[in-house]
Amino acid sequence: MQYNFGEIEPKWQKFWEDNKTFRTDSTDKTKPKYYVLDMFPYPSGAGLHVGHVEGYTATDILARFKRMNGHNVLHPMGWDSFGLPAENYAIKTGTHPNVITKENIGNFTRQLKACGFSYDWDREIATSSIDYYKWTQWIFTQLYNKGLAFEDEISVNWCPELKTVLANEEVIDGKSEVGGHPVVRKPMKQWMLKITEYADRLLEDLDDLDWPESLKELQRNWIGRSEGAQVSFEVKGADSKIDVFTTRPDTLFGATYMVLAPEHDLVAKITTEDQKADIEAYIKEAALKSDLDRTDLNKNKSGVFTGAYAINPLNGKEIPIWIADYVLISYGTGAIMAVPAHDERDWEFAKKYDLEILPVLEGGDVNEAAFTGDGTHINSDFLDGLNKEDAISKVIAHLEEKNIGKKEINYKLRDWLFSRQRYWGEPFPILKFEDGTVRCLDEDELPVGLPEVEKYEPSGTGESPLARIDDWLYLTDPKTGKKARRETNTMPQWAGSCWYYLRFIDPKNSEVAWDKQLEEYWMPVDLYVGGVEHAVLHLLYARFWHKVLFDLGLVSTKEPFQKLFNQGLILDEHGEKMSKSKGNTVNPDDIIKEYGADALRLYEMFMGPLEKVKPWQTKGVKGVFNFLRKSFTFYGNPENTYEGEEKNQDVLKHLHKTIKKVTEDVENLRFNTAISAMMVMNNEVIKLGQVSVETAKAFTRLLSPFAPHAAEEMWANLGETTSCSLAPWPAFDPELAKDDLITMAIQVNGKTRSTIDVPADISKEDFLAQAKADEKVAKFITGTIVKEIYVPGRICNIVVKG
Ligand code: ANZ
């Protein structure tokens, strides 16, 4: 008997497609639901890579497992199809992004189908299709009407050469990461979303999510909540006040100078004549640097004295006011009180410019380094003798009483810059009138379609290519009769992926974005799997939109993704990151051609724990291929089976143990150990030459979520006429699945006091706990235990003294 995967796989893929085997029936509410979601791909020209296959196989196993366990499963797939690469390709080749996107989607679809993933393809969506982005625009109108979308003049990283705004992460040493072109800070009017209004809830609600702790921590750090105080300083001889945000108001007596961000409003006002030239030169220099560069702890600090002095509100001491680029305009108040004795950045700065370093907490030598620990306060008047925590409460109470400061909470999280000067994205549903007013369109005016353009290049004036299409751009607003110009920015790629999981619930609805009852049935997503690269932005943005929708009564859960799992990166054979430019990627097509999709799926799950980073090894594919071929030719061959129930007790025990192990492992996403359990069973069973049909069918069903094509063929060979993918999951008999017991003697001080029966693979902790609880042993443990000797399966001796 041959394992002819090249024939079997396309045959069953066609069967599933023709029979709509994986169509989800949304009306069947008799079954418990299970919504298992992949992070949908950007359909790039490179096609599917093995990293996609890893996560998608994991969710597919869960989807198939839950179906076989009687769940109504929602397992959809779609395309995150707006974005820059398609647009850049369009610029280069003059092909419309729509055409390229369609082609790429075609190729991705072919590849995903060749992997045998059990998606309900009737639910396919693409964020760039007008039926979809109509509703993305509609959600924007909801945000707008709730006051959460607004235009603001903000300082952005503008690259004149690339003719676009860049994210902070894309600017290095004042140059664009791509091409190394100069980048300048420049104020530009941009659309913003008020995600900061949700900072607290985005933080608090993390606690209830079943997400990796490390990922929650990344989100917490990104949100960056700091508790502290705002304190007001008077400027000497001027009618101005400088507000600072500090997490250490207890160190106020140690503030020996102040620093304003170079962009701070007060700089021009307070700078003295003789310092003006230096200050202006420094401001120009600072404008060339990105925030990331400015706050880099390893970089040399620099600054310039303004010539002005501030007055410490607690003791009236006069301290110099400097500007320095290590203070950012965008955080807190854009100004700080500097305490060089207890802050590293301030210490470095003070050393460089020879400013006073006055310790106000005991501990450490502030001539050598800043002391950032806790200690007793000194040189601090009414705070002397207190520790950090007490001094903070006391000083805040004092500041509040005297009206010179107050308790304050600050967030690192900034409002979300939501506009891009690009073509291939969702147009904003916004009209702008000559008098400067703005109207957000109503639902009945949507969608605003993306017009075809001849040229995709950004205009260079900071406007998107849409600004060149006059007949799209200008109109007489039918609702007000006023002359209007459309907003020419488009939304960022994140927009479409902020709510796609909701559209999957009801993808064809042309009346509403999703049906409320269906939403109530399906949400939240029970399992979401994807790469850790989306740990912050996508997951934070989607959570934000979801919470807004929740507040509007449009969704029924506070959070969209109850359980989340990050698959680990797959590296190349030498442990390096795979990339197209290095030419070390593995194309799933090639592996499928040589070993089949089932072997590819099995291999990727067998490489190691799902969350771990793992190197690819083509040798390993051969290994699992052999396992698969052996399983197929043995269980799938009626000649190796006899009718009826299993008679061999050993085989029966192996089987039930394997069912138990695979069931538990799949539920916990431990696919590598589930597969090895099946391998172990095979090693013991296949050599016997024959098993019952029942045993063969049970094994086939265990294999089915992992290697669904082979399992279907085996199932049919064993005489079944329905799809194995929908067969009930095998149950195990707990008695038969029990671990084998061994008898162990327990000694106290070298004398055997009792014997107990325990599972052969019991852990040391569990064994000792049971041993000490044994009555016959317990009465000899009269003193303290000084030693516990435990050799698994052999000896246990508890040494007691006293
Ligand atoms: C005085 C002080 C003394 C500070 C001390 C720290 C230690 P996080 O925790 O990140 O919120 N800071 C405030 N605004 C800033 C800005 N716009 N740019 C750069 N630094 C700024 O940090 C808050 C602390 O960072 C604040 O507390 C302030 O320095 C500084 F022993 O004030 B601190």
Side-chain angles (χ1 to χ4, degrees):
M1 191 176 175
Q2 282 248 312
Y3 172 44
N4 199 344
F5 59 86
E7 240 168 61
I8 293 169
E9 293 185 350
K11 170 177 139 191
W12 287 104
Q13 283 156 18
K14 181 166 186 310
F15 175 91
W16 295 327
E17 190 151 343
D18 291 349
N19 290 282
K20 291 196 183 290
T21 308
F22 305 118
R23 217 187 122 259
T24 306
D25 181 0
S26 264
T27 58
D28 181 6
K29 294 182 183 159
T30 56
K31 293 182 188 167
K33 67 97 182 180
Y34 192 76
Y35 186 177
V36 49
L37 182 68
D38 292 305
M39 289 185 185
F40 66 164
Y42 172 76
S44 74
L48 202 69
H49 58 71
V50 288
H52 289 120
V53 176
E54 183 189 20
Y56 297 170
T57 302
T59 52
D60 197 55
I61 291 169
L62 255 299
R64 289 172 172 278
F65 173 78
K66 291 286 178 183
R67 258 184 228 113
M68 294 174 82
N69 278 284
H71 284 73
N72 195 11
V73 171
L74 180 57
H75 187 40
M77 184 40 88
W79 318 106
D80 190 14
S81 44
F82 269 139
L84 261 183
E87 183 172 337
N88 287 342
Y89 193 77
I91 292 172
K92 242 203 295 186
T93 63
T95 330
H96 196 282
N98 227 334
V99 174
I100 299 153
T101 304
K102 269 222 178 76
E103 263 173 33
N104 291 348
I105 287 177
N107 189 42
F108 262 81
T109 306
R110 175 191 64 75
Q111 290 186 296
L112 290 174
K113 288 188 174 171
C115 289
F117 296 135
S118 62
Y119 297 122
D120 176 358
W121 284 104
D122 287 352
R123 289 173 188 263
E124 179 181 352
I125 54 179
T127 56
S128 60
S129 87
I130 194 158
D131 308 332
Y132 183 89
Y133 73 71
K134 168 183 177 175
W135 300 110
T136 309
Q137 292 173 337
W138 175 75
I139 295 175
F140 176 84
T141 67
Q142 301 295 314
L143 288 153
Y144 183 90
N145 293 335
K146 217 173 169 304
L148 293 169
F150 62 104
E151 268 189 298
D152 198 11
E153 181 110 345
I154 62 157
S155 164
V156 295
N157 303 306
W158 172 253
C159 178
E161 182 66 29
L162 295 177
K163 304 184 183 78
T164 187
V165 158
L166 296 174
N168 268 333
E169 292 77 7
E170 295 166 326
V171 184
I172 293 159
D173 286 330
K175 304 250 167 66
S176 64
E177 186 184 12
V178 180
H181 307 295
V183 173
V184 290
R185 303 286 291 195
K186 134 172 174 181
M188 271 175 75
K189 211 167 186 191
Q190 300 285 325
W191 281 95
M192 308 290 291
L193 296 185
K194 261 190 214 165
I195 190 172
T196 49
E197 202 156 288
Y198 283 74
D200 250 334
R201 283 163 64 192
L202 288 167
L203 193 65
E204 274 164 28
D205 293 346
L206 280 173
D207 293 346
D208 300 330
L209 296 178
D210 184 1
W211 289 20
E213 204 41 51
S214 57
L215 199 150
K216 289 191 195 179
E217 206 46 33
L218 285 173
Q219 292 227 341
R220 288 192 188 107
N221 290 339
W222 190 267
I223 296 166
R225 182 181 194 276
S226 312
E227 263 184 48
Q230 186 159 320
V231 187
S232 266
F233 287 68
E234 306 264 354
V235 180
K236 185 189 166 195
D239 181 23
S240 304
K241 268 204 232 148
I242 300 175
D243 288 333
V244 303
F245 170 69
T246 173
T247 46
R248 296 295 305 275
D250 61 307
T251 62
L252 196 44
F253 287 97
T256 54
Y257 66 101
M258 297 193 81
V259 184
L260 303 179
E263 302 84 353
H264 199 285
D265 282 345
L266 278 180
V267 177
K269 196 172 165 195
I270 64 170
T271 302
T272 56
E273 265 317 305
D274 52 334
Q275 290 301 98
K276 253 203 179 103
D278 287 355
I279 288 276
E280 273 163 17
Y282 186 79
I283 292 174
K284 275 212 186 98
E285 228 177 87
L288 298 175
K289 295 191 194 167
S290 76
D291 286 1
L292 240 50
D293 280 337
R294 287 172 50 163
T295 49
D296 191 333
L297 286 176
N298 301 317
K299 296 242 162 101
N300 217 341
K301 307 263 164 318
S302 65
V304 178
F305 177 43
T306 62
Y309 289 84
I311 297 165
N312 186 321
L314 290 189
N315 58 8
K317 183 168 160 175
E318 290 178 10
I319 54 178
I321 306 170
W322 286 62
I323 66 169
D325 64 11
Y326 75 96
V327 173
L328 300 178
I329 189 64
S330 54
Y331 187 63
T333 60
I336 65 160
M337 63 178 215
V339 185
H342 304 291
D343 181 278
E344 287 165 16
R345 295 158 298 181
D346 299 344
W347 188 87
E348 256 182 63
F349 193 83
K351 276 280 175 200
K352 178 164 177 189
Y353 294 106
D354 204 16
L355 295 157
E356 185 189 358
I357 301 177
L358 173 69
V360 290
L361 278 94
E362 261 176 355
D365 177 0
V366 300
N367 285 319
E368 291 302 316
F371 171 65
T372 57
D374 198 353
T376 306
H377 280 71
I378 51 170
N379 301 327
S380 294
D381 195 345
F382 64 96
L383 300 177
D384 281 352
L386 298 178
N387 68 12
K388 175 169 147 188
E389 193 187 333
D390 294 342
I392 289 178
S393 335
K394 188 156 180 188
V395 77
I396 289 178
H398 181 89
L399 293 169
E400 286 181 346
E401 196 192 305
K402 298 267 182 261
N403 232 349
I404 43 179
K406 58 178 199 300
K407 188 178 159 126
E408 174 101 345
I409 294 165
N410 238 302
Y411 296 91
K412 291 251 152 59
L413 186 67
R414 299 274 76 97
D415 279 332
W416 176 9
L417 195 160
F418 194 66
S419 38
R420 300 291 182 271
Q421 299 73 47
R422 289 297 188 157
Y423 170 70
W424 193 230
E426 300 85 351
F428 280 75
I430 291 283
L431 297 182
K432 294 183 161 175
F433 304 113
E434 284 168 332
D435 60 6
T437 58
V438 160
R439 186 169 80 81
C440 184
L441 299 180
D442 296 321
E443 184 174 333
D444 64 357
E445 298 171 286
L446 301 179
V448 179
L450 198 52
E452 292 239 354
V453 296
E454 301 277 307
K455 286 180 148 183
Y456 303 98
E457 288 92 344
S459 63
T461 58
E463 284 201 289
S464 93
L466 294 177
R468 281 196 290 247
I469 312 172
D470 287 353
D471 52 348
W472 176 83
L473 195 58
Y474 298 101
L475 70 160
T476 304
D477 176 11
K479 290 218 174 164
T480 62
K482 291 200 277 186
K483 279 197 172 149
R485 185 183 194 261
R486 291 189 194 277
E487 168 62 66
T488 59
N489 281 318
T490 52
M491 299 185 199
Q493 199 182 348
W494 309 110
S497 56
C498 263
W499 73 283
Y500 74 115
Y501 57 93
L502 289 167
R503 188 62 177 172
F504 275 140
I505 288 170
D506 196 10
K508 303 239 166 82
N509 202 325
S510 55
E511 302 297 314
V512 286
W514 58 85
D515 177 88
K516 190 74 212 318
Q517 279 175 355
L518 289 176
E519 183 279 325
E520 277 169 24
Y521 173 66
W522 284 112
M523 286 301 286
V525 172
D526 297 284
L527 176 66
Y528 193 22
V529 175
V532 74
E533 68 273 18
H534 292 302
V536 181
L537 300 180
H538 159 59
L539 288 171
L540 202 63
Y541 295 153
R543 292 180 63 221
F544 162 49
W545 278 33
H546 194 86
K547 287 186 184 303
V548 176
L549 297 171
F550 178 77
D551 290 350
L552 290 166
L554 295 165
V555 296
S556 56
T557 64
K558 282 200 298 188
E559 287 283 335
F561 315 121
Q562 187 49 41
K563 181 178 168 108
L564 184 128
F565 204 89
N566 289 130
Q567 85 251 18
L569 206 62
I570 297 185
L571 305 174
D572 77 356
E573 303 232 357
H574 307 288
E576 307 232 355
K577 209 174 155 173
M578 290 188 185
S579 78
K580 232 174 83 180
S581 59
K582 274 195 254 164
N584 61 350
T585 55
V586 176
N587 186 342
D589 286 345
D590 298 338
I591 305 295
I592 291 175
K593 202 164 156 229
E594 199 167 343
Y595 298 100
D598 282 341
L600 171 64
R601 295 169 58 115
L602 262 178
Y603 172 63
E604 293 213 18
M605 294 300 99
F606 190 59
M607 288 173 82
L610 185 62
E611 69 276 15
K612 286 271 163 23
V613 176
K614 309 159 277 243
W616 179 271
Q617 233 115 46
T618 301
K619 225 173 49 213
V621 186
K622 281 184 205 153
V624 291
F625 176 80
N626 285 337
F627 156 73
L628 196 54
R629 199 194 52 215
K630 266 194 231 154
S631 305
F632 182 87
T633 49
F634 181 70
Y635 299 102
N637 185 353
E639 284 173 18
N640 297 331
T641 58
Y642 53 85
E643 280 305 314
E645 289 182 11
E646 183 59 50
K647 293 183 197 120
N648 182 322
Q649 198 62 16
D650 280 344
V651 172
L652 208 55
K653 285 188 82 164
H654 277 304
L655 176 66
H656 282 259
K657 269 190 190 177
T658 310
I659 298 175
K660 180 169 188 276
K661 177 87 177 129
V662 173
T663 305
E664 289 169 359
D665 281 354
V666 169
E667 270 163 2
N668 292 300
L669 284 75
R670 294 191 300 248
F671 304 117
N672 58 326
T673 50
I675 295 167
S676 63
M678 289 188 270
M679 291 175 169
V680 169
M681 170 170 165
N682 273 5
N683 287 344
E684 297 301 325
V685 168
I686 290 181
K687 63 187 177 205
L688 299 177
Q690 229 195 7
V691 291
S692 74
V693 171
E694 288 294 296
T695 299
K697 283 184 184 169
F699 184 87
T700 301
R701 281 175 289 161
L702 291 185
L703 187 64
S704 170
F706 298 86
H709 311 86
E712 291 280 14
E713 188 74 14
M714 290 157 74
W715 192 242
N717 288 352
L718 290 166
E720 292 284 346
T721 51
T722 54
S723 169
C724 180
S725 301
L726 301 179
W729 186 252
F732 60 87
D733 176 343
E735 273 306 309
L736 287 167
K738 245 203 215 145
D739 282 320
D740 293 327
L741 295 183
I742 50 165
T743 304
M744 285 263 303
I746 307 155
Q747 298 179 338
V748 179
N749 289 343
K751 281 211 182 92
T752 300
R753 298 299 182 186
S754 180
T755 57
I756 53 173
D757 292 336
V758 292
D761 59 351
I762 190 168
S763 70
K764 179 177 177 184
E765 290 71 32
D766 288 353
F767 181 85
L768 283 165
Q770 272 194 43
K772 288 181 224 167
D774 187 290
E775 263 178 46
K776 283 176 258 165
V777 175
K779 64 180 176 198
F780 289 101
I781 305 180
T782 47
T784 21
I785 298 174
V786 291
K787 203 170 183 181
E788 293 166 344
I789 300 160
Y790 174 73
V791 184
R794 300 191 48 200
I795 187 172
C796 167
N797 184 15
I798 300 170
V799 183
V800 181
K801 258 207 184 115

